Amino acid sequence: MRTALASVVALTLCVGVAQADTITPEDVMFDYGEVAQSLTGTPGDAANGIKVMTNRGLGNCIACHQVTALEEYPYHGEVGPSLDGAGDRWTPEQLRGIVANAKEMFPDSIMPSFYKRSGYIRVGDAFTGKAPANESDITTLLTAQEIEDVVAFLVTLKD
Amino acid sequence: MRKAALHVAAGVLTLAAAAPALAGENDPLIINGQIEITTRTAAPAHLDGHLSEIRSGWTFRTDETQVMQMDDFDNPAMIYVDAATDAWNTVEGSADKSCASCHEGPESLAGFRATTPKWNAEAGAVWTQEMYVNNCRTERMGAEAWDWNGQDMRNMTALLASVSRGMPVNVAIDGPAAETWEKGREMYYTRFGQLELSCANCHEDNYDNLIRADHLSQGQINAFPAYRLKDTNLVSVHNRFRGCIRDTRAATFAVGSPEFIALELYVASRGNGLSVEGPSVRN
Protein backbone atom coordinates (compact mmCIF):
# COMPACT_ATOMS: atom_id res chain seq x y z
CA MET A 1 0.00 0.00 0.00
CA ARG A 2 2.79 2.35 0.98
CA THR A 3 4.65 1.31 -2.16
CA ALA A 4 1.61 2.05 -4.28
CA LEU A 5 1.28 5.45 -2.73
CA ALA A 6 4.95 6.17 -3.29
CA SER A 7 4.56 5.15 -6.93
CA VAL A 8 1.72 7.53 -7.38
CA VAL A 9 3.84 10.32 -5.95
CA ALA A 10 6.75 9.34 -8.19
CA LEU A 11 4.49 9.20 -11.22
CA THR A 12 3.10 12.59 -10.48
CA LEU A 13 6.62 13.98 -10.17
CA CYS A 14 7.68 12.38 -13.44
CA VAL A 15 4.72 13.73 -15.30
CA GLY A 16 5.64 17.08 -13.90
CA VAL A 17 9.10 17.10 -15.46
CA ALA A 18 8.77 14.86 -18.50
CA GLN A 19 6.85 15.66 -21.60
CA ALA A 20 3.21 14.90 -21.19
CA ASP A 21 3.25 12.18 -23.84
CA THR A 22 6.19 10.25 -22.42
CA ILE A 23 5.06 6.78 -21.48
CA THR A 24 6.11 5.78 -17.96
CA PRO A 25 7.82 2.41 -17.44
CA GLU A 26 4.70 1.11 -15.76
CA ASP A 27 2.53 2.04 -18.71
CA VAL A 28 4.57 0.57 -21.54
CA MET A 29 2.41 -1.91 -23.46
CA PHE A 30 4.33 -5.02 -24.44
CA ASP A 31 2.83 -7.33 -27.01
CA TYR A 32 4.89 -10.52 -27.22
CA GLY A 33 7.88 -8.38 -26.33
CA GLU A 34 7.14 -5.68 -28.90
CA VAL A 35 6.31 -2.08 -28.12
CA ALA A 36 4.33 -0.48 -30.92
CA GLN A 37 4.11 3.04 -29.61
CA SER A 38 7.03 5.45 -29.36
CA LEU A 39 7.89 6.05 -25.71
CA THR A 40 8.08 9.80 -26.28
CA GLY A 41 6.45 10.70 -29.58
CA THR A 42 9.73 12.40 -30.52
CA PRO A 43 11.69 10.66 -33.30
CA GLY A 44 14.91 9.05 -32.12
CA ASP A 45 18.30 10.64 -32.79
CA ALA A 46 20.60 7.92 -34.13
CA ALA A 47 23.76 9.94 -33.42
CA ASN A 48 22.84 10.21 -29.76
CA GLY A 49 21.94 6.51 -29.91
CA ILE A 50 25.60 5.80 -30.71
CA LYS A 51 26.65 7.82 -27.69
CA VAL A 52 24.26 5.91 -25.46
CA MET A 53 25.44 2.56 -26.81
CA THR A 54 29.15 3.24 -26.35
CA ASN A 55 29.23 5.30 -23.16
CA ARG A 56 29.95 3.27 -20.02
CA GLY A 57 27.77 5.56 -17.96
CA LEU A 58 24.78 5.18 -20.26
CA GLY A 59 23.72 2.06 -22.14
CA ASN A 60 27.21 0.60 -22.60
CA CYS A 61 25.60 -1.82 -25.06
CA ILE A 62 28.94 -2.72 -26.63
CA ALA A 63 30.07 -4.12 -23.29
CA CYS A 64 28.11 -7.21 -24.34
CA HIS A 65 27.39 -6.76 -28.07
CA GLN A 66 29.73 -6.58 -31.03
CA VAL A 67 28.76 -3.94 -33.59
CA THR A 68 30.92 -3.54 -36.67
CA ALA A 69 29.57 -0.04 -37.34
CA LEU A 70 30.89 1.02 -33.92
CA GLU A 71 34.39 -0.37 -34.40
CA GLU A 72 36.00 2.97 -33.63
CA TYR A 73 34.79 2.60 -30.04
CA PRO A 74 37.02 -0.06 -28.51
CA TYR A 75 36.26 -3.27 -26.61
CA HIS A 76 33.13 -4.96 -27.75
CA GLY A 77 31.89 -7.83 -25.65
CA GLU A 78 30.76 -11.34 -26.49
CA VAL A 79 28.01 -11.90 -23.95
CA GLY A 80 25.12 -10.99 -26.25
CA PRO A 81 24.69 -11.57 -29.98
CA SER A 82 26.30 -9.31 -32.55
CA LEU A 83 23.99 -6.48 -33.51
CA ASP A 84 25.16 -6.43 -37.12
CA GLY A 85 22.05 -6.67 -39.26
CA ALA A 86 19.74 -6.07 -36.30
CA GLY A 87 17.73 -3.64 -38.45
CA ASP A 88 17.03 -6.49 -40.90
CA ARG A 89 16.22 -9.11 -38.30
CA TRP A 90 13.92 -7.05 -36.13
CA THR A 91 11.22 -4.47 -36.66
CA PRO A 92 11.53 -1.09 -34.90
CA GLU A 93 8.73 -2.18 -32.57
CA GLN A 94 10.59 -5.34 -31.62
CA LEU A 95 13.83 -3.41 -31.11
CA ARG A 96 12.04 -0.92 -28.88
CA GLY A 97 10.66 -3.75 -26.77
CA ILE A 98 14.01 -5.50 -26.50
CA VAL A 99 15.89 -2.36 -25.49
CA ALA A 100 13.18 -1.30 -23.03
CA ASN A 101 12.88 -4.71 -21.39
CA ALA A 102 14.40 -7.68 -23.17
CA LYS A 103 12.97 -10.08 -20.62
CA GLU A 104 9.49 -9.51 -22.07
CA MET A 105 10.64 -11.35 -25.19
CA PHE A 106 13.41 -13.49 -23.68
CA PRO A 107 12.46 -14.25 -20.08
CA ASP A 108 15.82 -15.68 -19.03
CA SER A 109 17.95 -13.10 -20.82
CA ILE A 110 20.97 -11.74 -18.96
CA MET A 111 20.26 -8.37 -20.58
CA PRO A 112 19.37 -5.64 -18.09
CA SER A 113 15.97 -4.02 -18.45
CA PHE A 114 16.69 -0.44 -19.44
CA TYR A 115 13.21 0.98 -18.96
CA LYS A 116 12.16 -0.36 -15.61
CA ARG A 117 12.42 1.09 -12.11
CA SER A 118 10.90 -1.35 -9.65
CA GLY A 119 10.58 -5.03 -8.89
CA TYR A 120 14.25 -5.60 -8.09
CA ILE A 121 15.99 -7.72 -5.47
CA ARG A 122 18.11 -5.50 -3.20
CA VAL A 123 18.26 -2.62 -5.61
CA GLY A 124 21.11 -0.22 -4.84
CA ASP A 125 21.76 3.48 -5.21
CA ALA A 126 23.58 3.19 -8.56
CA PHE A 127 27.06 1.68 -7.99
CA THR A 128 27.50 2.80 -4.39
CA GLY A 129 26.65 -0.64 -3.01
CA LYS A 130 24.22 1.04 -0.65
CA ALA A 131 20.46 0.87 -0.53
CA PRO A 132 18.75 3.96 -1.92
CA ALA A 133 17.25 6.35 0.60
CA ASN A 134 13.92 5.66 -1.02
CA GLU A 135 13.31 2.87 -3.51
CA SER A 136 10.82 4.97 -5.37
CA ASP A 137 13.68 7.34 -6.25
CA ILE A 138 15.18 4.69 -8.52
CA THR A 139 15.25 5.93 -12.09
CA THR A 140 15.34 3.85 -15.24
CA LEU A 141 18.78 2.93 -16.60
CA LEU A 142 17.98 4.91 -19.75
CA THR A 143 15.42 7.63 -20.33
CA ALA A 144 12.52 7.11 -22.71
CA GLN A 145 14.19 9.33 -25.29
CA GLU A 146 17.52 7.52 -24.98
CA ILE A 147 15.67 4.26 -25.74
CA GLU A 148 14.17 5.88 -28.83
CA ASP A 149 17.64 7.14 -29.83
CA VAL A 150 19.16 3.66 -29.52
CA VAL A 151 16.32 2.18 -31.56
CA ALA A 152 16.86 4.86 -34.21
CA PHE A 153 20.47 3.73 -34.53
CA LEU A 154 19.72 0.00 -34.41
CA VAL A 155 17.30 0.18 -37.34
CA THR A 156 20.19 1.48 -39.48
CA LEU A 157 22.16 -1.73 -38.93
CA LYS A 158 21.48 -3.55 -42.20
CA ASP A 159 23.43 -6.48 -43.61
CA MET B 1 66.31 -14.52 5.58
CA ARG B 2 66.22 -18.26 5.02
CA LYS B 3 63.08 -17.62 3.00
CA ALA B 4 64.85 -15.09 0.81
CA ALA B 5 67.62 -17.57 0.12
CA LEU B 6 65.06 -20.18 -0.82
CA HIS B 7 63.42 -17.75 -3.18
CA VAL B 8 66.72 -17.11 -4.86
CA ALA B 9 67.39 -20.80 -5.20
CA ALA B 10 63.93 -21.35 -6.63
CA GLY B 11 64.43 -18.49 -9.03
CA VAL B 12 67.70 -19.90 -10.31
CA LEU B 13 66.19 -23.32 -10.74
CA THR B 14 63.31 -21.92 -12.70
CA LEU B 15 65.59 -19.94 -14.96
CA ALA B 16 67.64 -23.03 -15.61
CA ALA B 17 64.75 -25.40 -16.14
CA ALA B 18 62.03 -23.45 -17.90
CA ALA B 19 62.68 -22.20 -21.40
CA PRO B 20 60.32 -19.35 -22.35
CA ALA B 21 58.38 -18.28 -19.27
CA LEU B 22 55.10 -17.91 -21.07
CA ALA B 23 51.90 -19.74 -20.41
CA GLY B 24 48.70 -20.32 -22.29
CA GLU B 25 45.27 -21.25 -21.07
CA ASN B 26 46.01 -24.92 -21.58
CA ASP B 27 49.47 -24.88 -20.08
CA PRO B 28 50.06 -26.30 -16.64
CA LEU B 29 50.73 -24.01 -13.71
CA ILE B 30 53.79 -25.12 -11.81
CA ILE B 31 54.88 -22.76 -9.09
CA ASN B 32 58.60 -22.44 -8.31
CA GLY B 33 59.20 -25.31 -10.67
CA GLN B 34 57.80 -27.72 -8.11
CA ILE B 35 54.24 -27.11 -6.90
CA GLU B 36 51.89 -28.55 -9.50
CA ILE B 37 48.56 -26.75 -9.62
CA THR B 38 45.43 -28.28 -11.08
CA THR B 39 43.89 -25.40 -13.02
CA ARG B 40 41.37 -27.44 -15.03
CA THR B 41 39.50 -30.52 -13.95
CA ALA B 42 36.12 -32.23 -14.14
CA ALA B 43 33.32 -30.39 -12.35
CA PRO B 44 32.18 -31.88 -9.05
CA ALA B 45 28.93 -33.86 -9.16
CA HIS B 46 27.03 -31.30 -7.10
CA LEU B 47 27.18 -28.83 -9.99
CA ASP B 48 24.60 -31.09 -11.66
CA GLY B 49 26.14 -30.66 -15.09
CA HIS B 50 25.95 -26.85 -15.05
CA LEU B 51 29.66 -26.91 -15.85
CA SER B 52 31.52 -29.81 -17.39
CA GLU B 53 34.95 -28.53 -16.51
CA ILE B 54 36.01 -26.21 -13.74
CA ARG B 55 38.85 -23.79 -14.41
CA SER B 56 40.98 -21.65 -12.20
CA GLY B 57 40.86 -17.94 -12.91
CA TRP B 58 44.53 -18.29 -13.82
CA THR B 59 43.54 -19.90 -17.14
CA PHE B 60 41.66 -16.74 -18.14
CA ARG B 61 44.46 -14.28 -17.55
CA THR B 62 47.05 -12.94 -19.95
CA ASP B 63 50.48 -14.53 -20.30
CA GLU B 64 52.05 -11.62 -18.45
CA THR B 65 49.75 -12.02 -15.46
CA GLN B 66 50.03 -15.81 -15.48
CA VAL B 67 53.80 -15.75 -15.40
CA MET B 68 53.87 -13.60 -12.28
CA GLN B 69 52.34 -16.47 -10.35
CA MET B 70 54.78 -19.12 -11.54
CA ASP B 71 57.59 -18.03 -9.29
CA ASP B 72 57.29 -16.66 -5.78
CA PHE B 73 60.03 -14.22 -6.66
CA ASP B 74 57.75 -12.62 -9.24
CA ASN B 75 54.56 -12.92 -7.20
CA PRO B 76 53.94 -9.54 -5.56
CA ALA B 77 51.67 -11.22 -3.00
CA MET B 78 54.58 -13.01 -1.38
CA ILE B 79 55.71 -9.96 0.56
CA TYR B 80 52.41 -10.21 2.41
CA VAL B 81 53.08 -13.87 3.12
CA ASP B 82 56.44 -12.85 4.57
CA ALA B 83 54.72 -10.21 6.71
CA ALA B 84 52.26 -12.81 7.95
CA THR B 85 55.11 -15.17 8.76
CA ASP B 86 56.53 -12.47 11.01
CA ALA B 87 53.12 -11.98 12.60
CA TRP B 88 52.85 -15.76 13.07
CA ASN B 89 55.92 -15.70 15.25
CA THR B 90 55.01 -12.55 17.17
CA VAL B 91 53.78 -12.96 20.74
CA GLU B 92 50.67 -10.86 21.31
CA GLY B 93 47.90 -10.61 23.87
CA SER B 94 47.40 -11.43 27.52
CA ALA B 95 48.29 -15.13 27.15
CA ASP B 96 51.79 -14.33 25.90
CA LYS B 97 51.37 -16.51 22.89
CA SER B 98 52.01 -16.35 19.19
CA CYS B 99 50.51 -18.59 16.52
CA ALA B 100 53.77 -20.52 16.67
CA SER B 101 53.31 -21.23 20.40
CA CYS B 102 50.55 -23.71 19.58
CA HIS B 103 50.95 -24.50 15.90
CA GLU B 104 54.74 -24.48 15.43
CA GLY B 105 55.37 -23.64 11.78
CA PRO B 106 52.62 -22.47 9.43
CA GLU B 107 53.16 -25.68 7.47
CA SER B 108 51.38 -27.46 10.30
CA LEU B 109 48.18 -25.97 8.93
CA ALA B 110 48.66 -27.35 5.42
CA GLY B 111 45.23 -28.47 4.24
CA PHE B 112 43.32 -25.96 6.31
CA ARG B 113 42.67 -23.63 3.39
CA ALA B 114 41.61 -26.60 1.27
CA THR B 115 38.75 -27.51 3.60
CA THR B 116 37.44 -24.12 4.71
CA PRO B 117 34.80 -22.81 5.08
CA LYS B 118 33.81 -25.75 7.25
CA TRP B 119 31.34 -26.70 9.95
CA ASN B 120 32.56 -25.81 13.43
CA ALA B 121 30.72 -28.17 15.75
CA GLU B 122 31.57 -26.22 18.87
CA ALA B 123 30.21 -22.99 17.42
CA GLY B 124 27.35 -24.69 15.62
CA ALA B 125 28.07 -22.74 12.46
CA VAL B 126 30.09 -22.75 9.27
CA TRP B 127 33.35 -20.92 9.86
CA THR B 128 35.76 -19.33 7.42
CA GLN B 129 39.51 -19.04 7.90
CA GLU B 130 39.07 -15.50 9.21
CA MET B 131 36.78 -16.74 11.98
CA TYR B 132 39.22 -19.42 13.05
CA VAL B 133 42.10 -16.95 13.08
CA ASN B 134 40.18 -14.46 15.15
CA ASN B 135 38.99 -17.16 17.51
CA CYS B 136 42.63 -18.08 18.15
CA ARG B 137 43.48 -14.46 18.71
CA THR B 138 40.71 -13.62 21.14
CA GLU B 139 40.24 -16.95 22.93
CA ARG B 140 43.73 -18.41 23.03
CA MET B 141 46.06 -15.43 22.73
CA GLY B 142 43.98 -12.87 24.55
CA ALA B 143 44.65 -10.51 21.67
CA GLU B 144 42.42 -8.19 19.71
CA ALA B 145 40.45 -9.62 16.82
CA TRP B 146 41.62 -8.51 13.41
CA ASP B 147 39.36 -6.69 11.03
CA TRP B 148 38.03 -9.31 8.58
CA ASN B 149 39.19 -7.31 5.61
CA GLY B 150 42.20 -5.62 7.24
CA GLN B 151 45.75 -6.01 6.01
CA ASP B 152 46.81 -8.28 8.89
CA MET B 153 43.99 -10.71 8.21
CA ARG B 154 44.47 -10.70 4.45
CA ASN B 155 48.17 -11.35 4.99
CA MET B 156 47.44 -14.25 7.31
CA THR B 157 44.99 -15.84 4.89
CA ALA B 158 47.65 -15.52 2.21
CA LEU B 159 50.11 -17.39 4.41
CA LEU B 160 47.54 -20.06 5.23
CA ALA B 161 46.74 -20.49 1.54
CA SER B 162 50.40 -20.64 0.59
CA VAL B 163 51.09 -23.69 2.77
CA SER B 164 48.18 -25.54 1.11
CA ARG B 165 49.18 -24.73 -2.45
CA GLY B 166 48.76 -27.71 -4.74
CA MET B 167 46.32 -29.49 -2.46
CA PRO B 168 42.85 -30.07 -3.89
CA VAL B 169 40.05 -27.87 -2.62
CA ASN B 170 37.69 -30.18 -0.80
CA VAL B 171 35.09 -28.37 1.26
CA ALA B 172 32.31 -30.46 2.77
CA ILE B 173 28.80 -29.58 1.64
CA ASP B 174 26.84 -32.28 3.40
CA GLY B 175 25.90 -33.00 6.99
CA PRO B 176 25.58 -29.94 9.20
CA ALA B 177 27.05 -27.65 6.49
CA ALA B 178 24.30 -28.53 4.02
CA GLU B 179 21.89 -25.83 5.13
CA THR B 180 24.49 -23.06 4.78
CA TRP B 181 25.60 -24.48 1.45
CA GLU B 182 22.03 -24.48 0.17
CA LYS B 183 21.66 -20.84 1.20
CA GLY B 184 24.83 -20.02 -0.69
CA ARG B 185 23.60 -21.83 -3.76
CA GLU B 186 20.38 -19.88 -3.72
CA MET B 187 22.35 -16.64 -3.57
CA TYR B 188 24.52 -17.74 -6.48
CA TYR B 189 21.47 -17.95 -8.71
CA THR B 190 19.69 -14.83 -7.40
CA ARG B 191 19.58 -11.90 -9.80
CA PHE B 192 20.51 -8.96 -7.62
CA GLY B 193 20.34 -5.24 -8.19
CA GLN B 194 19.05 -3.00 -10.92
CA LEU B 195 21.09 -4.88 -13.51
CA GLU B 196 19.44 -8.10 -12.29
CA LEU B 197 22.58 -10.18 -12.47
CA SER B 198 23.28 -13.39 -10.61
CA CYS B 199 26.73 -14.84 -10.13
CA ALA B 200 25.67 -17.53 -12.60
CA ASN B 201 24.72 -15.06 -15.33
CA CYS B 202 28.36 -14.08 -15.76
CA HIS B 203 30.43 -16.87 -14.23
CA GLU B 204 28.44 -19.94 -15.26
CA ASP B 205 26.62 -18.90 -18.43
CA ASN B 206 29.24 -16.55 -19.85
CA TYR B 207 32.68 -17.50 -18.62
CA ASP B 208 35.34 -17.19 -21.29
CA ASN B 209 33.36 -14.38 -22.95
CA LEU B 210 34.51 -10.80 -23.02
CA ILE B 211 32.40 -8.22 -21.22
CA ARG B 212 33.78 -4.99 -22.61
CA ALA B 213 37.55 -5.53 -22.14
CA ASP B 214 37.17 -8.00 -19.30
CA HIS B 215 37.57 -11.73 -19.83
CA LEU B 216 34.93 -13.40 -17.66
CA SER B 217 36.19 -16.26 -15.52
CA GLN B 218 34.24 -18.90 -13.65
CA GLY B 219 34.58 -16.83 -10.50
CA GLN B 220 36.39 -19.61 -8.66
CA ILE B 221 37.92 -18.73 -5.29
CA ASN B 222 40.51 -21.49 -5.03
CA ALA B 223 43.20 -18.89 -5.68
CA PHE B 224 42.24 -16.40 -2.99
CA PRO B 225 43.40 -14.23 -1.52
CA ALA B 226 44.35 -12.74 -4.85
CA TYR B 227 46.83 -9.97 -5.47
CA ARG B 228 44.93 -7.71 -7.83
CA LEU B 229 47.14 -5.60 -10.04
CA LYS B 230 44.46 -2.90 -10.15
CA ASP B 231 44.46 -2.72 -6.33
CA THR B 232 48.18 -3.46 -5.87
CA ASN B 233 47.26 -5.45 -2.79
CA LEU B 234 45.64 -8.65 -1.60
CA VAL B 235 41.89 -8.90 -2.04
CA SER B 236 39.82 -11.09 0.24
CA VAL B 237 37.05 -13.36 -0.98
CA HIS B 238 34.34 -11.34 0.71
CA ASN B 239 35.66 -8.07 -0.62
CA ARG B 240 35.46 -9.49 -4.13
CA PHE B 241 31.91 -10.68 -3.49
CA ARG B 242 31.01 -7.26 -2.17
CA GLY B 243 32.39 -5.59 -5.29
CA CYS B 244 30.67 -7.98 -7.68
CA ILE B 245 27.25 -7.50 -6.11
CA ARG B 246 27.79 -3.73 -5.91
CA ASP B 247 28.48 -3.81 -9.64
CA THR B 248 25.01 -5.19 -10.27
CA ARG B 249 23.73 -1.86 -8.88
CA ALA B 250 22.59 -3.64 -5.75
CA ALA B 251 22.65 -2.91 -2.05
CA THR B 252 25.50 -5.31 -1.43
CA PHE B 253 26.20 -7.47 1.62
CA ALA B 254 28.82 -6.80 4.26
CA VAL B 255 32.19 -8.49 4.49
CA GLY B 256 31.83 -11.19 7.14
CA SER B 257 28.04 -11.31 6.84
CA PRO B 258 26.20 -14.64 7.18
CA GLU B 259 25.21 -14.27 3.53
CA PHE B 260 28.80 -14.05 2.34
CA ILE B 261 29.87 -16.91 4.60
CA ALA B 262 27.21 -19.05 2.93
CA LEU B 263 28.18 -17.83 -0.52
CA GLU B 264 31.85 -18.51 0.21
CA LEU B 265 31.09 -22.10 1.15
CA TYR B 266 29.03 -22.60 -1.99
CA VAL B 267 31.50 -20.94 -4.35
CA ALA B 268 34.41 -22.78 -2.73
CA SER B 269 32.55 -26.05 -3.33
CA ARG B 270 32.24 -25.22 -7.02
CA GLY B 271 36.02 -25.43 -7.07
CA ASN B 272 36.32 -28.78 -5.32
CA GLY B 273 39.07 -30.53 -7.28
CA LEU B 274 41.02 -27.45 -8.31
CA SER B 275 44.19 -26.80 -6.34
CA VAL B 276 44.56 -24.27 -3.61
CA GLU B 277 46.50 -21.61 -5.45
CA GLY B 278 46.62 -18.52 -3.26
CA PRO B 279 47.99 -16.07 -3.00
CA SER B 280 47.42 -15.66 -6.71
CA VAL B 281 47.95 -12.78 -9.14
CA ARG B 282 45.00 -11.39 -11.05
CA ASN B 283 44.28 -8.25 -13.04
Side-chain angles (χ1 to χ4, degrees):
Chain A
M1 188 59 199
R2 206 145 22 112
T3 315
L5 260 177
S7 300
V8 171
V9 174
L11 276 175
T12 313
L13 283 173
C14 279
V15 171
V17 289
Q19 284 183 322
D21 43 4
T22 292
I23 299 174
T24 65
E26 294 74 19
D27 287 338
V28 179
M29 298 292 292
F30 286 91
D31 185 16
Y32 293 99
E34 300 181 24
V35 175
Q37 199 182 344
S38 163
L39 299 179
T40 62
T42 305
D45 170 3
N48 194 54
I50 291 175
K51 189 178 144 202
V52 172
M53 290 189 64
T54 55
N55 188 311
R56 284 180 169 77
L58 293 171
N60 200 19
C61 308
I62 61 170
C64 291
H65 297 282
Q66 183 272 336
V67 191
T68 302
L70 300 178
E71 256 174 355
E72 62 184 289
Y73 305 93
Y75 308 124
H76 295 203
E78 304 168 328
V79 170
S82 168
L83 299 180
D84 288 359
D88 285 328
R89 286 196 299 282
W90 306 100
T91 66
E93 293 76 17
Q94 290 171 327
L95 289 169
R96 180 181 291 115
I98 294 170
V99 177
N101 189 351
K103 296 180 195 83
E104 293 281 345
M105 194 176 294
F106 309 108
D108 296 326
S109 176
I110 183 178
M111 184 166 157
S113 302
F114 288 93
Y115 202 58
K116 172 177 166 177
R117 58 186 175 189
S118 60
Y120 299 115
I121 299 170
R122 289 182 76 90
V123 70
D125 178 8
F127 291 109
T128 63
K130 298 193 172 84
N134 192 338
E135 272 201 31
S136 61
D137 292 341
I138 295 292
T139 55
T140 57
L141 294 170
L142 294 178
T143 66
Q145 191 57 47
E146 285 167 341
I147 305 250
E148 293 300 325
D149 294 348
V150 168
V151 171
F153 173 71
L154 292 175
V155 298
T156 70
L157 297 175
K158 306 278 191 184
D159 279 326
Chain B
M1 191 58 203
R2 200 143 30 107
K3 190 130 209 186
L6 269 175
H7 283 185
V8 171
V12 172
L13 279 174
T14 308
L15 280 179
L22 284 180
E25 65 168 30
N26 293 311
D27 290 336
L29 169 56
I30 300 171
I31 298 171
N32 300 334
Q34 59 186 31
I35 307 173
E36 290 184 27
I37 301 289
T38 300
T39 58
R40 308 176 78 116
T41 192
H46 58 260
L47 289 190
D48 292 332
H50 285 294
L51 297 175
S52 54
E53 184 186 42
I54 51 174
R55 290 170 56 181
S56 161
W58 186 81
T59 65
F60 297 93
R61 304 281 62 97
T62 62
D63 287 350
E64 294 76 8
T65 306
Q66 287 187 330
V67 166
M68 293 176 82
Q69 210 186 305
M70 296 175 77
D71 190 315
D72 284 351
F73 232 13
D74 299 323
N75 184 337
M78 294 314 286
I79 61 163
Y80 302 106
V81 171
D82 288 346
T85 306
D86 290 342
W88 178 275
N89 293 309
T90 302
V91 172
E92 260 194 274
S94 56
D96 273 332
K97 282 182 183 171
S98 68
C99 305
S101 309
C102 297
H103 296 289
E104 301 185 357
E107 299 77 12
S108 68
L109 290 182
F112 179 61
R113 163 78 280 190
T115 55
T116 47
K118 68 168 92 176
W119 179 255
N120 179 326
E122 210 174 305
V126 169
W127 274 26
T128 66
Q129 287 189 109
E130 288 88 348
M131 296 159 87
Y132 280 100
V133 168
N134 267 343
N135 187 63
C136 271
R137 288 184 59 79
T138 59
E139 305 309 309
R140 300 188 195 176
M141 295 168 68
E144 294 271 305
W146 278 334
D147 181 7
W148 189 297
N149 199 41
Q151 189 74 54
D152 290 326
M153 185 64 89
R154 283 180 282 137
N155 292 353
M156 189 55 72
T157 61
L159 172 63
L160 292 172
S162 74
V163 296
S164 287
R165 283 188 298 182
M167 300 174 77
V169 175
N170 185 24
V171 295
I173 66 170
D174 52 3
E179 193 183 328
T180 305
W181 182 82
E182 189 60 49
K183 198 170 133 194
R185 184 171 69 152
E186 202 178 303
M187 278 186 77
Y188 192 87
Y189 289 100
T190 298
R191 299 185 67 162
F192 288 111
Q194 194 172 7
L195 299 183
E196 296 176 289
L197 294 172
S198 68
C199 308
N201 282 139
C202 287
H203 298 293
E204 183 172 280
D205 301 337
N206 278 292
Y207 70 87
D208 223 359
N209 283 331
L210 286 173
I211 186 160
R212 203 88 198 221
D214 203 11
H215 191 194
L216 287 170
S217 75
Q218 289 184 347
Q220 299 284 358
I221 57 171
N222 61 301
F224 272 76
Y227 181 94
R228 282 193 94 188
L229 297 167
K230 68 180 275 193
D231 296 308
T232 64
N233 206 322
L234 292 172
V235 173
S236 67
V237 170
H238 286 202
N239 198 39
R240 188 67 283 245
F241 287 167
R242 180 169 68 180
C244 257
I245 294 184
R246 175 199 64 216
D247 289 346
T248 71
R249 295 176 74 110
T252 191
F253 298 90
V255 166
S257 61
E259 290 87 355
F260 277 167
I261 294 167
L263 187 62
E264 180 176 344
L265 174 62
Y266 177 69
V267 176
S269 81
R270 292 175 68 94
N272 274 359
L274 294 173
S275 297
V276 173
E277 200 188 299
S280 60
V281 185
R282 298 290 185 263
N283 55 330

